[in-house]
Amino acid sequence: MPPHTTPAAGPSSGAPALLPGAEPWSRPPRPREGEPRVGVLVQHGFTGQPAAMKPWAEELGARGWAVEVPRLPGHGTTWQDCNTTGWDDWCAEVLAAHDRLRATCDVVVAAGLSMGGALVLRLAADRPDAVDGVVLVNPAVATHRKDVLALPLLQHLVGSFPGIAGDIAKPGVSEQGYDRTPLRAAASMMRGWAGVRRDLGRVTAPVLYLRSDVDHVVDEASEPIITAGVAGPVTRVALPDSFHVATLDHDLPRIVSSSIEFVEGLPSVRTQRLG
């Protein structure tokens, strides 16, 4: 059965048209003989879109695993559209993708880049018995930047700031994210971060933490909060040759191999295989 891509919205649909590569992507499970049905949710970040995750997702799907790459509401269209959405909308989309995987899979892993990492941590905290593993790539749940303190006021005065998309070391590669940062959506994201930080202790699943040595978008504030806060074991892997959007950068092969090794070593996968 071929991968599934949702068609872009057309002018007559009443919804903003999708940018190229913004379509959600999914693949059903095709387990090898004797292997459990594994599903992986692969979540893009703030102002990004599924195109940034698809190369990674395709490699996971090639293992015979089910994959869901959702498009968050307000993403892959316009930054103005993003300003009409917020944290609760994004959490609902992630939960729906997780539930689709749970309906067909024995084991479900949640993976995310940047804000996508915060969203899958939220999912793992809310559904500790239904998330078997968490994979984080340059996740964000906090920042040392002081200018964000003004967001509660600025979001009502200014629609956007210059964009954060495209932090990639590899020449000629584009994230296809927004060139502006929608401030109302950004303020909602940071309110959501507070809840994630508060509930990290409810994340009992094993965590794979992949971190770029150089990241011009997410600073060092998040890593100690996450690694010290989650209840499950944490494995850290450095990404020495990539910037923030490492899923499109030089270290993509390292992300693929590390995440495959992590998933195959999960207790739930080993138990299902033995059973």
Side-chain angles (χ1 to χ4, degrees):
M1 188 172 182
H4 173 69
T5 300
T6 302
S12 61
S13 69
L18 296 188
L19 297 171
E23 299 85 1
W25 189 87
S26 64
R27 185 166 196 160
R30 296 180 303 159
R32 301 169 184 176
E33 186 175 355
E35 295 290 321
R37 296 170 300 171
V38 173
V40 187
L41 191 164
V42 183
Q43 186 56 64
H44 68 78
F46 184 59
T47 74
Q49 57 161 305
M53 314 305 287
K54 193 172 178 183
W56 183 16
E58 288 177 331
E59 293 288 345
L60 300 177
R63 305 289 296 181
W65 298 343
V67 183
E68 287 278 345
V69 186
R71 179 184 68 89
L72 297 177
H75 290 71
T77 53
T78 66
W79 67 261
Q80 294 92 337
D81 182 34
C82 195
N83 260 341
T84 68
T85 67
W87 183 257
D88 290 344
D89 302 306
W90 309 328
C91 286
E93 190 66 34
V94 170
L95 179 59
H98 168 270
D99 288 348
R100 288 194 294 271
L101 288 171
R102 265 294 162 202
T104 59
C105 296
D106 306 305
V107 176
V108 174
V109 174
L113 165 70
S114 195
M115 183 185 77
L119 288 166
V120 299
L121 284 169
R122 177 74 271 165
L123 173 69
D126 291 340
R127 297 279 186 93
D129 296 329
V131 176
D132 296 276
V134 177
V135 181
L136 306 173
V137 180
N138 297 325
V141 298
T143 182
H144 288 315
R145 290 180 53 170
K146 301 302 182 186
D147 55 350
V148 302
L149 299 175
L151 268 180
L153 174 62
L154 285 174
Q155 65 173 315
H156 301 296
L157 303 176
V158 182
S160 67
F161 274 176
I164 58 173
D167 189 33
I168 301 171
K170 192 173 185 178
V173 179
S174 172
E175 184 185 1
Q176 304 181 56
Y178 294 151
D179 60 1
R180 304 291 298 180
T181 298
L183 294 194
R184 289 185 181 178
S188 179
M189 173 184 68
M190 291 179 185
R191 290 193 297 271
W193 283 356
V196 174
R197 294 193 300 266
R198 181 192 64 229
D199 295 334
L200 283 172
R202 291 160 50 184
V203 179
T204 56
V207 174
L208 173 62
Y209 196 107
L210 299 119
R211 177 68 175 150
S212 295
D213 289 354
V214 178
D215 186 332
H216 302 100
V217 176
V218 172
D219 60 39
E220 64 275 13
S222 293
E223 181 171 352
I225 293 172
I226 294 171
T227 56
V230 297
V234 179
T235 301
R236 188 189 191 277
V237 174
L239 305 175
D241 299 316
S242 300
F243 293 162
H244 180 63
V245 191
T247 53
L248 293 177
D249 219 325
H250 296 293
D251 287 308
L252 173 62
R254 184 180 296 235
I255 294 173
V256 170
S257 61
S258 297
S259 55
I260 289 174
E261 181 181 359
F262 172 76
V263 173
E264 291 183 338
L266 288 172
S268 51
V269 172
R270 295 199 305 267
T271 300
Q272 291 278 347
R273 186 183 294 129
L274 292 172

